mmCIF file of all heavy atoms in Angstrom:
data_model
loop_
_atom_site.group_PDB
_atom_site.id
_atom_site.type_symbol
_atom_site.label_atom_id
_atom_site.label_comp_id
_atom_site.label_asym_id
_atom_site.label_seq_id
_atom_site.Cartn_x
_atom_site.Cartn_y
_atom_site.Cartn_z
ATOM 1 N N ALA A 1 0.858 -1.182 0.000
ATOM 2 C CA ALA A 1 0.000 0.000 0.000
ATOM 3 C C ALA A 1 0.899 1.237 0.000
ATOM 4 O O ALA A 1 1.858 1.327 0.757
ATOM 5 C CB ALA A 1 -0.910 -0.005 1.222
ATOM 6 N N ALA A 2 0.579 2.184 -0.831
ATOM 7 C CA ALA A 2 1.475 3.311 -1.121
ATOM 8 C C ALA A 2 1.917 4.131 0.082
ATOM 9 O O ALA A 2 3.043 4.593 0.138
ATOM 10 C CB ALA A 2 0.818 4.226 -2.149
ATOM 11 N N VAL A 3 1.048 4.334 1.074
ATOM 12 C CA VAL A 3 1.421 5.210 2.185
ATOM 13 C C VAL A 3 1.464 4.474 3.524
ATOM 14 O O VAL A 3 1.470 5.100 4.574
ATOM 15 C CB VAL A 3 0.442 6.412 2.285
ATOM 16 C CG1 VAL A 3 0.588 7.303 1.082
ATOM 17 C CG2 VAL A 3 -0.995 5.944 2.446
ATOM 18 N N LEU A 4 1.517 3.155 3.499
ATOM 19 C CA LEU A 4 1.504 2.378 4.732
ATOM 20 C C LEU A 4 2.740 2.674 5.581
ATOM 21 O O LEU A 4 3.866 2.618 5.099
ATOM 22 C CB LEU A 4 1.449 0.883 4.392
ATOM 23 C CG LEU A 4 0.948 -0.039 5.503
ATOM 24 C CD1 LEU A 4 -0.494 0.281 5.855
ATOM 25 C CD2 LEU A 4 1.059 -1.484 5.069
ATOM 26 N N LYS A 5 2.511 3.003 6.864
ATOM 27 C CA LYS A 5 3.597 3.321 7.796
ATOM 28 C C LYS A 5 3.798 2.207 8.822
ATOM 29 O O LYS A 5 4.916 1.899 9.185
ATOM 30 C CB LYS A 5 3.311 4.626 8.537
ATOM 31 C CG LYS A 5 3.130 5.829 7.635
ATOM 32 C CD LYS A 5 4.418 6.236 6.973
ATOM 33 C CE LYS A 5 4.214 7.517 6.157
ATOM 34 N NZ LYS A 5 5.384 7.870 5.381
ATOM 35 N N THR A 6 2.700 1.654 9.352
ATOM 36 C CA THR A 6 2.810 0.569 10.328
ATOM 37 C C THR A 6 1.901 -0.585 9.929
ATOM 38 O O THR A 6 0.773 -0.371 9.469
ATOM 39 C CB THR A 6 2.433 1.029 11.758
ATOM 40 O OG1 THR A 6 1.070 1.461 11.781
ATOM 41 C CG2 THR A 6 3.335 2.143 12.231
ATOM 42 N N PHE A 7 2.408 -1.789 10.112
ATOM 43 C CA PHE A 7 1.683 -2.987 9.711
ATOM 44 C C PHE A 7 1.966 -4.060 10.755
ATOM 45 O O PHE A 7 3.110 -4.469 10.928
ATOM 46 C CB PHE A 7 2.164 -3.420 8.320
ATOM 47 C CG PHE A 7 1.463 -4.616 7.747
ATOM 48 C CD1 PHE A 7 0.183 -4.960 8.139
ATOM 49 C CD2 PHE A 7 2.092 -5.397 6.798
ATOM 50 C CE1 PHE A 7 -0.460 -6.056 7.594
ATOM 51 C CE2 PHE A 7 1.465 -6.496 6.241
ATOM 52 C CZ PHE A 7 0.185 -6.826 6.639
ATOM 53 N N SER A 8 0.937 -4.479 11.481
ATOM 54 C CA SER A 8 1.123 -5.449 12.563
ATOM 55 C C SER A 8 0.394 -6.758 12.267
ATOM 56 O O SER A 8 -0.793 -6.756 11.942
ATOM 57 C CB SER A 8 0.581 -4.882 13.883
ATOM 58 O OG SER A 8 1.238 -3.688 14.221
ATOM 59 N N ILE A 9 1.139 -7.860 12.368
ATOM 60 C CA ILE A 9 0.566 -9.193 12.230
ATOM 61 C C ILE A 9 1.111 -10.044 13.365
ATOM 62 O O ILE A 9 2.039 -9.645 14.063
ATOM 63 C CB ILE A 9 0.908 -9.836 10.862
ATOM 64 C CG1 ILE A 9 2.428 -9.872 10.660
ATOM 65 C CG2 ILE A 9 0.205 -9.131 9.741
ATOM 66 C CD1 ILE A 9 2.853 -10.588 9.409
ATOM 67 N N GLU A 10 0.540 -11.232 13.555
ATOM 68 C CA GLU A 10 0.943 -12.018 14.708
ATOM 69 C C GLU A 10 0.723 -13.504 14.486
ATOM 70 O O GLU A 10 -0.059 -13.914 13.644
ATOM 71 C CB GLU A 10 0.120 -11.535 15.915
ATOM 72 C CG GLU A 10 -0.268 -12.581 16.897
ATOM 73 C CD GLU A 10 -1.159 -12.059 17.998
ATOM 74 O OE1 GLU A 10 -2.361 -11.896 17.770
ATOM 75 O OE2 GLU A 10 -0.643 -11.835 19.081
ATOM 76 N N GLY A 11 1.402 -14.282 15.295
ATOM 77 C CA GLY A 11 1.136 -15.711 15.415
ATOM 78 C C GLY A 11 1.580 -16.536 14.223
ATOM 79 O O GLY A 11 2.590 -16.288 13.602
ATOM 80 N N GLU A 12 0.758 -17.522 13.916
ATOM 81 C CA GLU A 12 1.095 -18.504 12.899
ATOM 82 C C GLU A 12 0.605 -18.110 11.513
ATOM 83 O O GLU A 12 0.236 -18.953 10.712
ATOM 84 C CB GLU A 12 0.489 -19.869 13.287
ATOM 85 C CG GLU A 12 1.001 -20.405 14.611
ATOM 86 C CD GLU A 12 2.495 -20.621 14.608
ATOM 87 O OE1 GLU A 12 3.012 -21.102 13.585
ATOM 88 O OE2 GLU A 12 3.143 -20.307 15.609
ATOM 89 N N THR A 13 0.568 -16.826 11.246
ATOM 90 C CA THR A 13 0.158 -16.357 9.931
ATOM 91 C C THR A 13 1.055 -16.988 8.865
ATOM 92 O O THR A 13 2.261 -17.088 9.037
ATOM 93 C CB THR A 13 0.269 -14.822 9.842
ATOM 94 O OG1 THR A 13 -0.522 -14.265 10.891
ATOM 95 C CG2 THR A 13 -0.228 -14.312 8.515
ATOM 96 N N ILE A 14 0.432 -17.417 7.759
ATOM 97 C CA ILE A 14 1.180 -18.080 6.690
ATOM 98 C C ILE A 14 1.992 -17.035 5.942
ATOM 99 O O ILE A 14 1.521 -16.398 5.020
ATOM 100 C CB ILE A 14 0.212 -18.779 5.714
ATOM 101 C CG1 ILE A 14 -0.735 -19.707 6.489
ATOM 102 C CG2 ILE A 14 0.965 -19.570 4.671
ATOM 103 C CD1 ILE A 14 -1.913 -20.192 5.666
ATOM 104 N N LEU A 15 3.217 -16.828 6.389
ATOM 105 C CA LEU A 15 4.044 -15.761 5.839
ATOM 106 C C LEU A 15 5.392 -16.312 5.415
ATOM 107 O O LEU A 15 6.123 -16.874 6.205
ATOM 108 C CB LEU A 15 4.237 -14.677 6.911
ATOM 109 C CG LEU A 15 5.086 -13.483 6.548
ATOM 110 C CD1 LEU A 15 4.431 -12.705 5.423
ATOM 111 C CD2 LEU A 15 5.283 -12.595 7.768
ATOM 112 N N HIS A 16 5.698 -16.177 4.157
ATOM 113 C CA HIS A 16 6.985 -16.638 3.638
ATOM 114 C C HIS A 16 7.984 -15.491 3.648
ATOM 115 O O HIS A 16 7.626 -14.338 3.437
ATOM 116 C CB HIS A 16 6.813 -17.181 2.214
ATOM 117 C CG HIS A 16 5.909 -18.365 2.159
ATOM 118 N ND1 HIS A 16 6.260 -19.596 2.637
ATOM 119 C CD2 HIS A 16 4.632 -18.483 1.709
ATOM 120 C CE1 HIS A 16 5.249 -20.437 2.468
ATOM 121 N NE2 HIS A 16 4.257 -19.785 1.920
ATOM 122 N N PRO A 17 9.254 -15.765 3.885
ATOM 123 C CA PRO A 17 10.272 -14.713 3.961
ATOM 124 C C PRO A 17 10.310 -13.807 2.742
ATOM 125 O O PRO A 17 10.613 -12.633 2.843
ATOM 126 C CB PRO A 17 11.576 -15.497 4.101
ATOM 127 C CG PRO A 17 11.170 -16.807 4.681
ATOM 128 C CD PRO A 17 9.810 -17.096 4.112
ATOM 129 N N ALA A 18 10.000 -14.347 1.587
ATOM 130 C CA ALA A 18 10.084 -13.551 0.358
ATOM 131 C C ALA A 18 8.979 -12.502 0.252
ATOM 132 O O ALA A 18 9.030 -11.616 -0.581
ATOM 133 C CB ALA A 18 10.026 -14.466 -0.862
ATOM 134 N N THR A 19 7.960 -12.602 1.125
ATOM 135 C CA THR A 19 6.859 -11.648 1.061
ATOM 136 C C THR A 19 7.330 -10.234 1.326
ATOM 137 O O THR A 19 6.913 -9.282 0.697
ATOM 138 C CB THR A 19 5.776 -12.019 2.091
ATOM 139 O OG1 THR A 19 5.312 -13.339 1.809
ATOM 140 C CG2 THR A 19 4.599 -11.064 2.012
ATOM 141 N N PHE A 20 8.215 -10.090 2.306
ATOM 142 C CA PHE A 20 8.732 -8.775 2.656
ATOM 143 C C PHE A 20 10.230 -8.743 2.402
ATOM 144 O O PHE A 20 10.949 -9.641 2.814
ATOM 145 C CB PHE A 20 8.462 -8.470 4.136
ATOM 146 C CG PHE A 20 7.017 -8.430 4.454
ATOM 147 C CD1 PHE A 20 6.396 -9.528 5.038
ATOM 148 C CD2 PHE A 20 6.255 -7.318 4.165
ATOM 149 C CE1 PHE A 20 5.041 -9.503 5.326
ATOM 150 C CE2 PHE A 20 4.908 -7.276 4.456
ATOM 151 C CZ PHE A 20 4.301 -8.383 5.037
ATOM 152 N N HIS A 21 10.699 -7.717 1.724
ATOM 153 C CA HIS A 21 12.116 -7.577 1.434
ATOM 154 C C HIS A 21 12.691 -6.546 2.396
ATOM 155 O O HIS A 21 12.411 -5.363 2.292
ATOM 156 C CB HIS A 21 12.315 -7.125 -0.016
ATOM 157 C CG HIS A 21 11.683 -8.063 -0.987
ATOM 158 N ND1 HIS A 21 12.108 -9.355 -1.161
ATOM 159 C CD2 HIS A 21 10.638 -7.893 -1.826
ATOM 160 C CE1 HIS A 21 11.364 -9.945 -2.081
ATOM 161 N NE2 HIS A 21 10.459 -9.079 -2.486
ATOM 162 N N PHE A 22 13.453 -6.998 3.363
ATOM 163 C CA PHE A 22 13.943 -6.116 4.405
ATOM 164 C C PHE A 22 15.119 -5.266 3.945
ATOM 165 O O PHE A 22 16.001 -5.737 3.242
ATOM 166 C CB PHE A 22 14.334 -6.935 5.641
ATOM 167 C CG PHE A 22 13.146 -7.577 6.296
ATOM 168 C CD1 PHE A 22 12.773 -8.876 5.984
ATOM 169 C CD2 PHE A 22 12.387 -6.851 7.195
ATOM 170 C CE1 PHE A 22 11.664 -9.450 6.578
ATOM 171 C CE2 PHE A 22 11.273 -7.421 7.795
ATOM 172 C CZ PHE A 22 10.921 -8.715 7.486
ATOM 173 N N PRO A 23 15.144 -4.002 4.383
ATOM 174 C CA PRO A 23 16.210 -3.074 3.995
ATOM 175 C C PRO A 23 17.599 -3.580 4.346
ATOM 176 O O PRO A 23 18.558 -3.251 3.676
ATOM 177 C CB PRO A 23 15.868 -1.810 4.802
ATOM 178 C CG PRO A 23 14.396 -1.896 5.024
ATOM 179 C CD PRO A 23 14.113 -3.359 5.193
ATOM 180 N N SER A 24 17.711 -4.379 5.406
ATOM 181 C CA SER A 24 19.025 -4.866 5.817
ATOM 182 C C SER A 24 19.656 -5.756 4.748
ATOM 183 O O SER A 24 20.849 -5.968 4.730
ATOM 184 C CB SER A 24 18.910 -5.646 7.138
ATOM 185 O OG SER A 24 18.043 -6.753 6.960
ATOM 186 N N HIS A 25 18.839 -6.281 3.852
ATOM 187 C CA HIS A 25 19.344 -7.108 2.766
ATOM 188 C C HIS A 25 19.532 -6.298 1.492
ATOM 189 O O HIS A 25 19.709 -6.851 0.414
ATOM 190 C CB HIS A 25 18.390 -8.274 2.494
ATOM 191 C CG HIS A 25 18.291 -9.212 3.659
ATOM 192 N ND1 HIS A 25 17.096 -9.706 4.105
ATOM 193 C CD2 HIS A 25 19.245 -9.726 4.476
ATOM 194 C CE1 HIS A 25 17.311 -10.492 5.145
ATOM 195 N NE2 HIS A 25 18.593 -10.521 5.394
ATOM 196 N N GLY A 26 19.447 -4.983 1.632
ATOM 197 C CA GLY A 26 19.659 -4.122 0.477
ATOM 198 C C GLY A 26 18.463 -4.008 -0.438
ATOM 199 O O GLY A 26 18.570 -3.493 -1.539
ATOM 200 N N ARG A 27 17.283 -4.464 0.020
ATOM 201 C CA ARG A 27 16.084 -4.368 -0.803
ATOM 202 C C ARG A 27 15.037 -3.533 -0.089
ATOM 203 O O ARG A 27 14.994 -3.485 1.129
ATOM 204 C CB ARG A 27 15.541 -5.766 -1.107
ATOM 205 C CG ARG A 27 16.455 -6.564 -2.033
ATOM 206 C CD ARG A 27 15.988 -7.987 -2.164
ATOM 207 N NE ARG A 27 16.220 -8.711 -0.916
ATOM 208 C CZ ARG A 27 15.946 -9.995 -0.768
ATOM 209 N NH1 ARG A 27 15.430 -10.685 -1.757
ATOM 210 N NH2 ARG A 27 16.168 -10.592 0.389
ATOM 211 N N LYS A 28 14.171 -2.918 -0.844
ATOM 212 C CA LYS A 28 13.167 -2.035 -0.274
ATOM 213 C C LYS A 28 12.022 -2.848 0.315
ATOM 214 O O LYS A 28 11.570 -3.820 -0.283
ATOM 215 C CB LYS A 28 12.638 -1.105 -1.372
ATOM 216 C CG LYS A 28 11.952 0.120 -0.826
ATOM 217 C CD LYS A 28 11.639 1.079 -1.967
ATOM 218 C CE LYS A 28 11.010 2.345 -1.439
ATOM 219 N NZ LYS A 28 10.661 3.264 -2.508
ATOM 220 N N LEU A 29 11.531 -2.411 1.480
ATOM 221 C CA LEU A 29 10.453 -3.132 2.140
ATOM 222 C C LEU A 29 9.124 -2.938 1.431
ATOM 223 O O LEU A 29 8.349 -3.852 1.279
ATOM 224 C CB LEU A 29 10.353 -2.662 3.596
ATOM 225 C CG LEU A 29 9.332 -3.341 4.490
ATOM 226 C CD1 LEU A 29 9.575 -4.838 4.490
ATOM 227 C CD2 LEU A 29 9.403 -2.805 5.896
ATOM 228 N N CYS A 30 8.852 -1.725 1.015
ATOM 229 C CA CYS A 30 7.624 -1.454 0.275
ATOM 230 C C CYS A 30 7.756 -0.094 -0.381
ATOM 231 O O CYS A 30 8.760 0.575 -0.239
ATOM 232 C CB CYS A 30 6.400 -1.489 1.196
ATOM 233 S SG CYS A 30 6.237 -0.013 2.185
ATOM 234 N N THR A 31 6.693 0.330 -1.081
ATOM 235 C CA THR A 31 6.757 1.604 -1.775
ATOM 236 C C THR A 31 6.606 2.782 -0.829
ATOM 237 O O THR A 31 6.971 3.883 -1.156
ATOM 238 C CB THR A 31 5.663 1.680 -2.857
ATOM 239 O OG1 THR A 31 4.396 1.447 -2.225
ATOM 240 C CG2 THR A 31 5.897 0.644 -3.926
ATOM 241 N N GLY A 32 6.043 2.548 0.362
ATOM 242 C CA GLY A 32 5.880 3.633 1.324
ATOM 243 C C GLY A 32 7.147 3.844 2.119
ATOM 244 O O GLY A 32 7.757 2.890 2.588
ATOM 245 N N PRO A 33 7.598 5.104 2.317
ATOM 246 C CA PRO A 33 8.829 5.352 3.063
ATOM 247 C C PRO A 33 8.660 5.084 4.556
ATOM 248 O O PRO A 33 7.635 5.432 5.128
ATOM 249 C CB PRO A 33 9.076 6.847 2.805
ATOM 250 C CG PRO A 33 7.716 7.407 2.537
ATOM 251 C CD PRO A 33 6.956 6.322 1.837
ATOM 252 N N GLY A 34 9.627 4.462 5.149
ATOM 253 C CA GLY A 34 9.642 4.288 6.598
ATOM 254 C C GLY A 34 8.613 3.334 7.156
ATOM 255 O O GLY A 34 8.108 3.550 8.239
ATOM 256 N N LEU A 35 8.257 2.301 6.453
ATOM 257 C CA LEU A 35 7.282 1.331 6.951
ATOM 258 C C LEU A 35 7.806 0.617 8.169
ATOM 259 O O LEU A 35 8.941 0.163 8.208
ATOM 260 C CB LEU A 35 6.945 0.302 5.871
ATOM 261 C CG LEU A 35 6.032 -0.858 6.312
ATOM 262 C CD1 LEU A 35 4.642 -0.330 6.640
ATOM 263 C CD2 LEU A 35 5.957 -1.912 5.239
#
């Protein structure tokens, strides 16, 4: 989402590592700055 700043999920949600690209790996997390 273009302007998303905070996103909270929990528990055993079916989430694969490739879903989110973390800045620490040199990739952008999303299109919104500072998520």
Side-chain angles (χ1 to χ4, degrees):
V3 293
L4 200 63
K5 301 291 184 186
T6 62
F7 182 25
S8 301
I9 56 175
E10 145 184 79
E12 299 299 319
T13 303
I14 307 167
L15 179 64
H16 298 288
T19 301
F20 298 100
H21 303 294
F22 293 94
S24 60
H25 296 136
R27 291 172 289 182
K28 199 172 183 182
L29 183 56
C30 77
T31 56
L35 174 67

